[in-house]
Amino acid sequence: MIAPQRFAGTTAMITGGVQGIGRAVAERLRAESAEVVLVDRSEAVHEVAAELGAHGVVADLEEFSGATAAAERAVQLVGRIDVLINNVGGTIWAKPYEHYAEDEVRAEVQRSLFPTLWCCRAVLPHMLDRGSGTIVNVSSVATRGVNRVPYGAAKGGVNALTTSLAMEVAERGIRVVATATGGTEAPPRRIPRGPGPDGDRERGWFQQVVDQTTDSSLMKRYGTLAEQAGAIAFLASAEASYVTGTVLPVAGGDLG
């Protein structure tokens, strides 16, 4: 249920905001009165930001320089960052680990771990200066899943980052939490993550991921973007003020 004033007076920086969960969270926070800065490496971020009445920033968050520039620009635009939602990431390939090339392993980790590492590092000084702030990392239950070992390893790193950073900064006014998302139904991506399955063998590997994701869910279904956004919005809000260092599975009962 939308709480129209829940984020009144709150600023939020959301990464990967052009599509999928990132956009759904942005829509939810805007509906609940947050001032939002969307960050994405696609120029489409400006179009989406205009549609939502938000601000758009283009940055490559796989590099620390990009994360730092994005944080500084967000502060320029809205004055401060109360909430950081690290949403950038996602499986590029789906195949058994022995079929990954070295550069593919590096690309998966670069995509799904480093943007969160860098953005936490870039935004944290701003929050510590003010003695308050909330970081919500978007992880995955794919830490226990088939045909996505490098991605699962990257998201395991996000989980460790969440818990260890929370321990460091809790007494300094900062909360750090995460959701572990399960399979999520979403419209076709306007910007593909990767080349997609090529041939029957790769399509079979991808179907194994789909089947395992559904089988691992007690509800035997994929979630919705609204269900993911609702959990993230709760963790980002003052209603979760006594929650930190926690990774919340949002996967129909799959604990990852």
Side-chain angles (χ1 to χ4, degrees):
M1 179 180 294
I2 299 294
Q5 296 299 311
R6 178 157 61 163
F7 290 99
T10 299
T11 63
M13 173 174 151
I14 303 172
T15 71
V18 164
Q19 56 195 340
I21 292 173
R23 175 165 181 157
V25 173
E27 291 173 347
R28 178 65 177 261
L29 266 60
R30 286 293 298 134
E32 296 189 343
S33 301
E35 190 165 6
V36 170
V37 179
L38 300 181
V39 183
D40 203 286
R41 65 181 176 186
S42 169
E43 292 288 342
V45 71
H46 295 301
E47 174 189 338
V48 174
E51 292 172 3
L52 301 182
H55 305 274
V57 174
V58 176
D60 180 0
L61 301 178
E62 292 183 14
E63 302 294 335
F64 182 50
S65 59
T68 301
E72 291 175 352
R73 182 59 178 151
V75 171
Q76 290 173 356
L77 288 168
V78 297
R80 64 186 187 279
I81 301 171
D82 297 314
V83 175
L84 167 64
I85 297 173
N86 284 311
N87 171 68
V88 169
T91 306
I92 305 173
W93 296 278
K95 52 188 173 182
Y97 191 40
E98 69 266 25
H99 292 282
Y100 277 86
E102 179 181 355
D103 62 331
E104 292 173 338
V105 173
R106 292 183 185 278
E108 292 278 12
V109 175
Q110 193 77 17
R111 171 75 60 82
S112 291
L113 175 58
F114 276 93
T116 299
L117 273 172
W118 293 145
C119 284
C120 285
R121 176 61 184 83
V123 169
L124 195 59
H126 298 282
M127 291 184 172
L128 290 172
D129 283 348
R130 295 176 45 250
S132 66
T134 300
I135 297 172
V136 184
N137 297 324
V138 179
S139 185
S140 173
V141 294
T143 48
R144 286 177 60 90
V146 301
N147 297 350
R148 295 182 289 174
V149 167
Y151 172 71
K155 289 302 189 180
V158 169
N159 293 348
L161 164 64
T162 299
T163 55
S164 58
L165 184 57
M167 292 180 69
E168 286 191 11
V169 300
E171 293 185 0
R172 301 166 75 185
I174 315 299
R175 292 191 304 114
V176 188
V177 290
T179 60
T181 63
T184 305
E185 296 284 358
R189 296 181 63 84
R190 60 191 295 177
I191 305 161
R193 288 193 183 120
D198 181 17
D200 290 342
R201 184 172 72 161
E202 291 191 4
R203 282 190 286 272
W205 288 337
F206 180 79
Q207 188 60 46
Q208 288 174 353
V209 173
V210 174
D211 293 343
Q212 181 261 306
T213 299
T214 304
D215 290 344
S216 296
S217 167
L218 301 184
M219 294 181 175
K220 304 303 178 189
R221 67 171 176 87
Y222 272 36
T224 67
L225 289 174
E227 287 170 326
Q228 299 297 343
I232 293 167
F234 163 69
L235 288 176
S237 75
E239 295 169 38
S241 59
Y242 196 49
V243 180
T244 196
T246 297
V247 179
L248 173 67
V250 188
D254 183 357
L255 302 181

